[in-house]
């Protein structure tokens, strides 16, 4: 049976959110049949302009049923009209999945659909969402969150992770992985995974330091001493340490720990491997050392993050 997927847009929506529909389109191709029927919706129908100035055609709200409705976001907190809010309130009881992308969470919140639920949004707006809607439990560092039939995602490219998770729930892990390969991306990030990246945070200016970081990420299971990294960068250990600190604002040891913790967190949240194995794979000498590093980075042990990820992926009741 074909599932109707609706993406709700409004004047000033973020055009990147349309890529979520590409995930369902490619899922149809991989499945070899029309699993999903895709529609762009708006309150009044017709052309709707994005923040980029590009317009998309849309169909006006009506009383048709949708399997899944997703509300697009914007680069700011999006406007909410009475017609939009009424449409979403009516839709929730008769829609299997209702979700938001990025700041679209503010629209769901204003409609009262996130009260008492866990939710996320773009990290830049997470605290504003929490202040404005205290009945929501905002988890500002999640990629996406499912709470019953309601799904919310972080900003920008997180819409791909959200859509892949929906496809995985419908058609299985292998097909969703095939879609990810078609999109030329790593298979979707775990829902509880951090919105931030240690590598993006470091941003070295020279190729030598970048080369050392690339080597480190591929060899986290090794000791990764300053002498080793300096050799990769073709610098003396003293020159390397000084250049690394000047370019990244961190010592090599601190940066490597961040890379280890970030990689270990991904593996913890994905499940399937023991904590002991993940500790060895990411270069921690033992699980206790990894536990201490997790407390420094996240304020909680690996097991707590694994339980939180499991709750994120728990099926709706």
């Amino acid at each position: 049976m074909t599932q109707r997927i609706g993406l709700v847009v409004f004047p000033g929506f973020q055009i990147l959110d349309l890529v979520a529909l590409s995930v369902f389109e490619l899922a149809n191709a991989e499945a070899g049949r029309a699993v999903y029927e895709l529609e762009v919706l708006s309150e009044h129908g017709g052309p709707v302009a994005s923040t980029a100035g590009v317009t998309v055609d849309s169909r006006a709200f009506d009383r048709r049923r949708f399997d899944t409705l997703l509300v697009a976001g914007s680069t700011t907190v999006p406007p909410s009209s009475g017609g939009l809010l009424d449409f979403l309130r009516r839709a929730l009881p008769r829609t299997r999945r209702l979700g938001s992308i990025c700041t679209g969470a503010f629209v769901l919140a204003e409609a009262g659909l996130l009260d008492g639920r866990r939710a996320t949004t773009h990290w830049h707006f997470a605290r504003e969402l929490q202040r404005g809607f205290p009945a929501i439990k905002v988890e500002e560092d999640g990629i996406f969150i499912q709470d019953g039939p309601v799904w919310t995602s972080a900003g920008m490219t997180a819409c791909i992770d959200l859509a892949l998770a929906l496809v995985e729930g419908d058609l299985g892990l292998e097909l969703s992985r095939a879609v990810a390969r078609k999109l030329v991306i790593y298979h979707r990030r775990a829902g509880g995974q951090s919105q931030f990246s240690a590598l993006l945070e470091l941003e070295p200016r020279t190729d030598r330091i970048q080369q050392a970081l690339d080597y480190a990420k591929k060899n986290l299971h090794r000791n990764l001493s300053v002498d080793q990294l300096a050799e990769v960068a073709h610098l003396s250990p003293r020159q390397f340490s000084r250049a690394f600190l000047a370019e990244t604002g961190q010592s090599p040891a601190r940066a490597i720990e961040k890379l280890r913790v970030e990689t270990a967190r991904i593996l913890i949240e994905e499940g399937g491997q023991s904590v002991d194995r993940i500790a060895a794979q990411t270069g921690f000498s033992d699980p206790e050392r990894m536990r201490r590093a997790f407390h420094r980075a996240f304020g909680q042990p690996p097991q707590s993050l694994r339980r939180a990820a499991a709750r994120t992926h728990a099926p709706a009741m």
Side-chain angles (χ1 to χ4, degrees), residues 65-303:
R65 290 181 178 272
F66 285 82
D67 175 83
T68 304
L69 278 174
L70 299 175
V71 180
S74 182
T75 52
T76 60
V77 176
S80 298
S81 66
L84 172 56
L85 299 178
D86 288 344
F87 172 72
L88 294 172
R89 292 181 187 120
R90 289 195 308 270
L92 181 60
R94 56 183 187 169
T95 302
R96 182 167 68 100
R97 299 179 300 207
L98 183 63
S100 63
I101 298 168
C102 193
T103 57
F106 283 83
V107 180
L108 296 188
E110 193 168 341
L113 304 182
L114 297 182
D115 288 354
R117 298 185 187 273
R118 296 162 51 242
T120 193
T121 188
H122 192 295
W123 63 266
H124 185 73
F125 296 97
R127 294 185 182 179
E128 183 177 349
L129 180 65
Q130 186 66 85
R131 286 193 301 269
F133 302 94
I136 304 170
K137 184 181 178 183
V138 178
E139 298 184 9
E140 61 183 81
D141 203 24
I143 296 294
F144 64 85
I145 288 173
Q146 177 192 6
D147 192 320
V150 179
W151 298 65
T152 52
S153 83
M156 300 298 180
T157 58
C159 68
I160 300 174
D161 302 283
L162 172 62
L164 283 171
L166 298 176
V167 167
E168 181 181 324
D170 294 338
L171 302 173
L173 178 61
E174 288 309 311
L175 191 138
S176 71
R177 282 178 171 165
V179 172
R181 287 193 293 270
K182 285 284 182 69
L183 289 165
V184 198
I185 61 170
Y186 179 74
H187 185 239
R188 69 162 179 81
R189 294 168 285 182
Q193 188 180 326
S194 173
Q195 294 185 30
F196 302 96
S197 164
L199 280 177
L200 288 176
E201 195 176 284
L202 293 171
E203 293 185 333
R205 295 190 300 271
T206 64
D207 290 342
R208 287 186 174 189
I209 301 302
Q210 183 63 61
Q211 187 174 347
L213 282 170
D214 290 343
Y215 174 84
K217 184 144 191 179
K218 294 174 183 174
N219 294 276
L220 288 177
H221 60 287
R222 299 180 182 274
N223 181 40
L224 296 178
S225 66
V226 168
D227 286 354
Q228 279 182 295
L229 296 175
E231 185 176 346
V232 171
H234 304 291
L235 295 168
S236 72
R238 184 176 179 182
Q239 288 175 316
F240 174 76
S241 294
R242 190 164 53 226
F244 194 98
L245 181 62
E247 292 190 29
T248 69
Q250 300 179 35
S251 69
R254 177 63 177 147
I256 296 305
E257 180 174 289
K258 281 192 171 187
L259 290 176
R260 293 191 199 281
V261 166
E262 181 177 274
T263 303
R265 177 174 179 165
I266 293 170
L267 296 173
I268 287 288
E269 291 173 339
E270 287 180 346
Q273 297 188 63
S274 69
V275 171
D276 287 13
R277 180 174 176 79
I278 291 171
Q281 190 175 338
T282 52
F284 291 102
S285 58
D286 57 67
E288 176 58 25
R289 183 179 172 190
M290 186 171 79
R291 188 191 68 80
R292 292 196 299 269
F294 267 63
H295 268 288
R296 286 193 293 272
F298 311 121
Q300 54 187 316
Q303 291 84 351

Side-chain angles (χ1 to χ4, degrees), residues 31-51:
R33 58 190 176 91
V35 180
Y36 301 111
E37 176 186 337
L38 309 177
E39 290 194 26
V40 178
L41 308 170
S42 69
E43 184 174 0
H44 303 294
V48 179
S50 67
T51 52

